[in-house]
Structure formats: structure tokens, C-alpha cells
Amino acid sequence: MSNYKTIKQITQAAPPHMVGDGFKVRNFIGQSLWQDLSPFLMLDYNEPWDVLPTNHPRGVDVHPHKGFETVTIAWDGMVSHEDSSGGKGTIGPGDVQWMTAGSGILHKEFHAEEFSKKGGRFHMAQLWVNLPAANKNTPPAYQDLLDAQMGRYPLPDGRGEVRVIAGELNGTHGPARTFTRINIYDAQLQAGADWQLSLPEGDTLGIVVMKGNLLINDEQQARTGDLVVFGTHHTDVKIESNNEAHLLVLSGEPIREPIAAYGPFVMNTRQEIMDAIDEYNSGKYGVLH
Ligand code: MN
């Protein structure tokens, strides 16, 4: 009997919208997928976009977050982050910014100054990762994860490479420190690649097809712009690529707790959201100019 994970649905990303003036994103994960893809709450995908030079870096000015983590993955272009806990950094192609908002933070996110002056190709994603109730008030933290630190798992016959950003793949580990067991893989597949993936029983799984045409579990096709959502039962997935493909693979141990969310705050109850708004309004998340 097959041990393939069930494909629950294949959805297309929403049309692009702007976040500030610097991020032109298509949303892949919304509230309807919070259970199926826990602990992932949101994925804003900035497709490759050619940005004109400017002396005024584009982006999003100071805003708060509480109760979860924001993970920014860069493929082309550069972004700078700065937050009220003192965390700051600039990342470029292949790097990842992992910000734990935890108990509450202010931050801003802009195209890096040196990138803005030259302009060029910009290709990024931002993922929101939920925290369990026990860790929602953890102190804010910031991890700069550089391309050279990523785990690298070669596919058989030289048919591609999987970068492990977080978690583990067949003994290859990613550099991110996480609060729950999460795998984030950035996979480049060549034409004719055949990737057999095995995950723990009970884990969630979503595969974002940033580029390519795939046959999954011998039965379903997925193409550029699709998110493939799997059920939690069973363990195996078979991915065959017809052409060059680029995938973002998200899986993890689901957090089975209620979610109350309002804009940049993600807590467990409505009262905690109201408290978060009060904390923000009374300046408890610090100062950032
Ligand atoms: Mn933000």
C-alpha cells in the first residue's frame, strides 16, 4: 500500500499587491490554511521584479509585531532590517533574516541602500511562523542566516540541490534556531529530477512552486504559482520535475492551539490581542526611528 501523503488541495497565489512601496507580493498562505499548514501563518512571495535605481530606498517603515516570527528569504536583491531590540542586518542573494518578534518589537524593512542606488532584480519571500503559547512572550531575537551556512543536500544523479534553511533533510541540517520542529527547504531541481521526500507522520506540508512543472505522487500536476497542500497522515512524497524547477518546501509539527490574529499581532485569545494593542500604544515595544 502506498504511503504517499494525500494532496488536499492545489491553490494559486493571490494577485500581487504592494507592501509599503518595496515589496510586490502574492499571498500564498491565508487564514483558511492555518490548520493545514501550521505553524506557517503567511507567505508573501515577491516574484522576480526589476527595480529602478533610486536614492530613497523602498520598503516598509516602522511597524510592530508580536507573538510569532518573520522569516525573509532573499534570492535576488538586498534588504536591510532594523528593530527596537537592537537587531539589525542586511542580507543578499541566498541569505535569510529570521526575526523573532516574541513579546513585542518594532521594526522596519527596506531595500538595502547600495542595492537601491543601482537597482536591479529583486526576488524575495516573507514567511510568518507561529510560536506556541508557551513561547509567545519570549524576548525578541534576530538571526542573520547567510547562504554559506545553509545545509546543502544534493539530489541523486546531480539532478539538483536542496538548501536546508531550517530543520533537517536526511541528516543535513539548517542553521535556523526554531521553537518548534520546522523544515524549510529551498530546492532547485533540474529537468528529470526525481525527489523522494520522507517526513515524520503527523507533520504538515506545503510545497510552493516558484518555477516549474511537477508530477507529484505519480498522480497530480503542479505548475508555477501553485501551492500544493498535503494532509498530515502518511510520510512520503514523490516529486518529479519536467523542467527546471524552484520550490519552497514548508513542513513541521503543527501547533494545535487557538489563533487570534489582528494585523501584525498573532496570539491565542482576543484578550491577548487587545493587550498587545495597549502595549504597543503605550510604547512598551521600545523606540525605533
Ligand atoms: Mn514586518
Side-chain angles (χ1 to χ4, degrees), residues 60 63-65 70 99 107 109 126 128:
V60 192
H63 59 279
H65 289 294
T70 67
M99 187 193 76
H107 83 154
E109 315 164 72
Q126 186 170 89
W128 287 12

Side-chain angles (χ1 to χ4, degrees), residues 89-226:
T90 297
I91 59 164
D95 303 337
V96 171
Q97 284 176 338
W98 195 293
M99 187 193 76
T100 306
S103 60
I105 202 168
L106 303 177
H107 83 154
K108 54 185 180 181
E109 315 164 72
F110 283 94
H111 296 193
E113 207 170 319
E114 57 174 293
F115 170 77
S116 296
K117 283 191 173 132
K118 280 186 287 187
R121 181 60 56 94
F122 191 81
H123 182 200
M124 307 248 163
Q126 186 170 89
L127 193 58
W128 287 12
V129 179
N130 203 4
L131 290 169
N135 299 114
K136 282 200 178 285
N137 282 307
T138 192
Y142 178 74
Q143 304 173 63
D144 249 340
L145 309 173
L146 302 179
D147 183 42
Q149 298 169 261
M150 303 299 173
R152 286 186 153 75
Y153 179 78
L155 295 179
D157 306 322
R159 292 278 172 83
E161 183 183 70
V162 182
R163 291 196 320 143
V164 182
I165 296 168
E168 184 263 331
L169 174 62
N170 302 336
T172 298
H173 291 263
R177 294 186 306 275
T178 67
F179 286 84
T180 57
R181 196 167 46 70
I182 293 169
N183 296 310
I184 302 177
Y185 307 142
D186 175 20
Q188 297 273 1
L189 277 58
Q190 291 175 16
D194 178 350
W195 181 19
Q196 313 260 356
L197 180 61
S198 191
L199 296 163
E201 171 74 34
D203 278 16
T204 56
L205 173 65
I207 297 178
V208 177
V209 185
M210 294 183 280
K211 191 175 90 176
N213 283 293
L214 310 175
L215 181 65
I216 298 177
N217 294 350
D218 299 322
E219 51 157 4
Q220 289 253 34
Q221 293 191 33
R223 62 194 167 91
T224 303
D226 281 344

